[in-house]
Structures are given as C-alpha cells and as structure tokens.
Amino acid sequence: MALERELQTPVCRGDEVRVRELLAVDFVEIGASGRRWDLASTLALLREETPDQAVIEVEGLEGRELAPGVVQVFWESRRGGRRARRTSIWRERDGRWQQVYHQGTPLPG
C-alpha cells in the first residue's frame, strides 16, 4: 500500500528509475480515459508530465490478497478537479513488489 501511495507522488513520477522499479516490464493500464497503456507508453507520458499535473490525491486506500505474493489495491483519486475509482494489482517477485496492472474508472463530479 505504501508503494501505491509512493507511485502517485510527483517525486516518484518524475524519477524514471524509480518508476521502472515499481512497474513490471509486463505492466498494463486501462486509464480513466479508456486508453490502454504499457510500460513504454506510461514512461513516455510521465516524461511529459509537469509537477502540477503530477499531483494526485489518494483517498480510501485498501487492499486484499488475491494469492500468495499478489495483492489488489483499491482507492479513489482526485486530480485537477476529476475523480476516479482505481484498482491496481501488485506482484511480489524475487523479494520485490511491482505493479502489473492498473485501471481507473471516472467518477461523476
């Protein structure tokens, strides 16, 4: 859960080395826009993000274990006046946790 929070911070999002540590090579995201992202396209997007755009409020963070070494995290985001319900799947491999999947669903106003 701490890694999910970290990944949403401007400091982390601006540090490509750290983002590569936290996102798996087979990472996939279905964004709140409906667009599908992989690791390469996510890294490209983050390179263009300004510090103001990188501010994401995390609310209601909770998680559950799906299987040994696999955790699903749920939370809501606020960013630039927009809200979304979010879920991520994290996998532990070789003693390290990485996000393998993320999805955002827009919430009304």
Side-chain angles (χ1 to χ4, degrees):
M1 301 254 268
L3 294 176
E4 184 75 52
R5 280 193 189 279
E6 179 186 352
L7 191 54
Q8 306 314 315
T9 65
V11 170
C12 181
R13 296 170 74 81
D15 181 349
E16 186 168 320
V17 171
R18 183 61 176 148
V19 172
R20 285 179 180 275
E21 291 172 354
L22 294 177
L23 298 182
V25 295
D26 57 344
F27 171 78
V28 173
E29 175 176 347
I30 307 300
S33 66
R35 189 167 170 199
R36 181 182 167 131
W37 307 85
D38 61 10
L39 179 59
S41 59
T42 298
L43 292 170
L45 177 70
L46 291 176
R47 283 183 209 112
E48 302 298 319
E49 201 171 62
T50 66
D52 287 345
Q53 291 172 318
V55 175
I56 300 170
E57 295 177 50
V58 176
E59 300 174 353
L61 192 65
E62 57 185 69
R64 65 180 178 162
E65 184 178 47
L66 297 177
V70 180
V71 173
Q72 184 176 26
V73 179
F74 302 93
W75 55 285
E76 289 184 15
S77 67
R78 287 187 187 271
R79 182 180 193 183
R82 295 182 314 181
R83 296 176 43 227
R85 183 161 289 132
R86 300 192 175 270
T87 188
S88 303
I89 297 177
W90 291 80
R91 173 182 65 208
E92 183 182 26
R93 184 177 283 167
D94 300 324
R96 191 171 89 186
W97 286 93
Q98 289 187 308
Q99 191 176 102
V100 295
Y101 179 78
H102 181 79
Q103 183 162 350
T105 303
L107 290 170

